[in-house]
Structure formats: C-alpha cells, structure tokens
Amino acid sequence: EVQLVESGGVVVQPGGSLRLSCAASGFTFDDYAMHWVRQAPGKGLEWVSLISWDGGSTYYADSVKGRFTISRDNSKNSLYLQMNSLRAEDTALYYCAKDSGSSGYYDYWGQGTLVTVSS
Amino acid sequence: EIVMTQSPATLSVSPGERATLSCRASQSVSSNLAWYQQKPGQAPRLLIYGASTRATGIPARFSGSGSGTEFTLTISSLQSEDFAVYYCQQYNNWPPWEYTFGQGTKLEIK
C-alpha cells in the first residue's frame, strides 16, 4: 500500500524558515518524480514544486521561486521542502504527491501538513 | 502561465441525476488534463488522467472528455458519495514546467 506521510508543519513568523518532510512507502521511491502541492485554508489547490526521480531536475511555481528548495533522499525514501523567507500568503496545508511516473499528474497524495505564517 | 477556468463554481444536482462539469484552458494542453475529487478534510483523489482515462478503482459512472482547451467531467448517475469539490489540472511537461489547477467546482446535493 502506498503511503505518504508529511511532517514539519508549525506556526512560524513572517521571514522565518521551515523544512517539511514526506516519508514514502509502499512503492519504489526512486522510480518516481515527486511534487509538493499546497492548499490555503478554504481555497483551491496550487502546485508548488517538482523534483525528478533522481533529484537532478527541480522546478518551482513563480510564487515560491528563490525562497523554497525541493530535495529528496532516495536512500531514506524521503522528500523535503525547505521554505525560507516565509510570508503570510504561504499559510496552507502542504501535500506531498507522487507523480504517476514522470507525467505531471498525481496518483497518490499524503494527508498534508499545516504551515501557518503569523506573528 | 496556463490558466484553468472551471464552471460552474457550484453545481446543485439531485442524487441519481447526471452532473456535467467544465474546465477550460487558456491555451492548448492537448490531452494533458487530470480531474481530482476532494471531500472535506481529505486529500484529493485522482479520477481521470489523459483527459479521458479513469484511474484505478474509479467507477464507470465517471467519464472525461475533451482535448485542447475544452474539457468535461461527467458523472452519469450521482451517488451520495460523489458530492464533493472537483478540480481539473493541466500537466504540460515542457517549459515553463508548470502544473496549474482550476479553482474547483463544488458539487452539492439539490
């Protein structure tokens, strides 16, 4: 059974930093690209970032480019999102999502971890 | 940036009836279009990919159609468990490498 479990979400002050983690199991992690997708409270879905299966290619939404860094450790079946210079508008539930291959759509999602940026 | 626009924002339908949800792309995305269902307090679930292919375990009452800029999700006979929010997503895998969602359609019980 595929499982994605996010962690690391907390309340952080504007300008602060945070690292989210996603522990993957139930599939061959290093065969698949992975994404972060977020959802602000009561709002829709927003793609945040993509990393290729080997970590060699990374892509970001314009809204987080230069502030967020996606990475992965295939030896630990883990995905990460380093979030710097956080803003109030980054407040959201952050989902880790498994790409179906290297396709760009997501066949499995975690339950999300909540990041709140507030003073 | 490719903008995805869903309509209507809210759709009220009675159980057993057909629901038709629309999604429009600001430029062609070929058939690189997925649909997701999200229930309150839950993560999204993949329903359709490639504009018309049902994901594993998705009932046959869900169908997708369209290509280019106009797409439709049809639920042929609504069950109680189908009332949720539905999102479309384009996934053109070339520069500028963006994966945009529509704003969602809330399907509610009439």
Side-chain angles (χ1 to χ4, degrees):
Chain A
E1 179 193 5
V2 171
Q3 285 199 313
L4 299 169
V5 180
E6 302 94 336
S7 61
V10 292
V11 178
V12 61
Q13 291 191 338
S17 297
L18 198 56
R19 187 172 92 148
L20 305 183
S21 299
C22 171
S25 61
F27 65 102
T28 305
F29 184 67
D30 56 10
D31 277 353
Y32 295 92
M34 297 291 294
H35 300 250
W36 288 99
V37 178
R38 68 184 180 183
Q39 186 169 35
K43 302 298 184 182
L45 300 168
E46 180 187 16
W47 172 76
V48 173
S49 185
L50 155 67
I51 188 166
S52 61
W53 65 274
D54 62 352
S57 298
T58 58
Y59 305 95
Y60 301 91
D62 286 345
S63 58
V64 307
K65 201 171 294 182
R67 300 187 299 122
F68 291 10
T69 302
I70 191 171
S71 62
R72 65 191 295 161
D73 185 337
N74 287 345
S75 69
K76 296 182 178 178
N77 288 351
S78 292
L79 175 71
Y80 306 102
L81 186 67
Q82 177 68 40
M83 308 166 68
N84 298 331
S85 303
L86 282 161
R87 307 167 179 167
E89 55 265 35
D90 296 319
T91 294
L93 187 63
Y94 284 75
Y95 292 104
C96 162
K98 173 184 168 293
D99 199 293
S100 67
S102 293
S103 308
Y105 63 91
Y106 322 121
D107 53 2
Y108 290 94
W109 299 64
Q111 286 303 304
T113 187
L114 182 62
V115 173
T116 303
V117 184
S118 174
S119 55
Chain B
E1 177 189 348
I2 300 175
V3 177
M4 306 301 292
T5 303
Q6 292 186 241
S7 61
T10 303
L11 183 62
S12 299
V13 183
S14 300
E17 294 188 340
R18 173 189 298 254
T20 302
L21 289 67
S22 297
C23 175
R24 174 176 293 177
S26 60
Q27 62 190 77
S28 177
V29 298
S30 186
S31 294
N32 296 320
L33 192 285
W35 289 95
Y36 301 87
Q37 176 194 68
Q38 187 178 35
K39 298 179 180 180
Q42 296 186 16
R45 177 175 72 145
L46 177 66
L47 298 176
I48 301 285
Y49 61 92
S52 61
T53 303
R54 278 190 304 278
T56 302
I58 301 303
R61 64 180 182 272
F62 290 90
S63 63
S65 64
S67 66
T69 62
E70 299 284 343
F71 301 90
T72 300
L73 175 69
T74 301
I75 311 171
S76 60
S77 178
L78 281 163
Q79 307 297 303
S80 58
E81 61 267 28
D82 299 335
F83 293 96
V85 179
Y86 291 83
Y87 295 95
C88 63
Q89 178 225 354
Q90 67 81 16
Y91 51 95
N92 268 348
N93 281 316
W94 50 75
W97 301 96
E98 57 186 20
Y99 304 90
T100 45
F101 291 87
Q103 81 279 18
T105 290
K106 182 179 181 181
L107 182 56
E108 63 177 28
I109 300 175
K110 186 174 182 180

